[in-house]
């Protein structure tokens, strides 16, 4: 029963974060009711149930009958599946919260190749509140500033990637090296398919996938 609740919670986060990203991207108010992206008709409660509303309407708006984007549905299924799986592996709610942050950062990086500082800072604050990694801060500071200055001069990686690796070090310690290795390996595999579209590759989605894999194999 609890895993079912986690599935619904994860799918709800998938729906909410996708809508949040869409509204910020299109400079829409965050306080208005949800509406169809095409005809702008306000959605009813039955249209807001994650996953099931999409299936019941067959991916169409019940008012204008135009086809919805499937992005929200895919994200709802993905996070709905990830939440119970990660909890079974970790028996902790904190990794689920980290997954939510990384998911949203991945959306931003994939679409804009830049991320919100406020989200990164909120993630850092969350790690400090729940983990209290003060002993790791002393180790991290000289390493972080070294790579910050190196990247400032040579721009070999996005600054947000360095910030995120620093946060993950505070969270996981030396295991961040494994996360970096997996993320880099996944990025190398994907690079030939992304290269024709852009010379830059959004790296945070690979960090996100790497963190998910780490949670499943760290035992």
């Amino acid at each position: 029963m609890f895993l079912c609740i986690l599935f619904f919670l994860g799918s709800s986060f998938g729906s909410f974060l996708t809508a949040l990203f869409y509204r910020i991207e299109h400079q829409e108010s965050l306080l208005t009711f949800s509406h169809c992206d095409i005809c702008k008709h306000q959605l009813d409660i039955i249209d807001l149930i994650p996953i099931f509303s999409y299936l019941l309407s067959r991916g169409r708006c019940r008012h204008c009958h135009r086809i919805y984007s499937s992005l929200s549905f895919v994200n709802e299924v993905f996070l709905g599946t990830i939440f119970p799986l990660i909890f079974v592996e970790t028996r902790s709610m904190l990794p689920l919260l980290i997954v939510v942050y990384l998911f949203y950062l991945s959306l931003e990086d994939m679409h804009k190749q830049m991320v919100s500082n406020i989200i990164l800072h909120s993630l850092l604050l969350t790690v400090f509140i729940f983990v209290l990694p003060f002993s790791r801060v002393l180790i991290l500071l000289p390493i972080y500033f070294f790579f910050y200055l190196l990247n400032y001069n040579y721009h070999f990686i996005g600054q947000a990637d360095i910030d995120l690796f620093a946060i993950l070090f505070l969270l996981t310690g030396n295991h961040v090296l494994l996360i970096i290795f997996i993320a880099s390996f996944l990025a190398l595999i994907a690079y030939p398919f992304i290269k024709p579209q852009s010379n830059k590759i959004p790296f945070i989605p690979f960090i996100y996938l790497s963190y998910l894999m780490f949670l499943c194999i760290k035992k």
Side-chain angles (χ1 to χ4, degrees), residues 91-192:
R91 297 295 174 180
S92 172
M93 298 298 289
L94 178 59
L96 302 184
L97 185 57
I98 304 300
V99 161
V100 167
Y101 276 110
L102 293 179
F103 176 83
Y104 187 80
L105 290 172
S106 296
L107 283 179
E108 288 191 319
D109 197 26
M110 284 190 296
H111 288 84
K112 302 186 299 182
Q113 292 194 352
M114 58 185 300
V115 298
S116 305
N117 285 329
I118 188 172
I119 302 298
L120 278 174
H121 295 160
S122 298
L123 176 56
L124 177 61
L125 180 61
T126 299
V127 171
F128 266 101
I129 291 174
F130 289 97
V131 183
L132 299 176
F134 294 112
S135 61
R136 293 174 183 169
V137 172
L138 298 177
I139 301 174
L140 174 64
L141 285 178
I143 300 174
Y144 174 81
F145 283 114
F146 170 78
F147 281 102
Y148 175 83
L149 293 175
L150 190 66
N151 191 55
Y152 181 81
N153 290 311
Y154 297 101
H155 305 287
F156 63 91
I157 193 174
Q159 181 57 44
D161 301 330
I162 295 178
D163 294 340
L164 191 53
F165 283 135
I167 293 173
L168 289 176
F169 172 77
L170 296 176
L171 182 65
T172 67
N174 292 334
H175 293 300
V176 72
L177 297 176
L178 176 61
I179 294 174
I180 293 174
F181 174 79
I182 297 175
S184 301
F185 179 74
L186 294 175
L188 284 174
I189 294 176
Y191 183 73

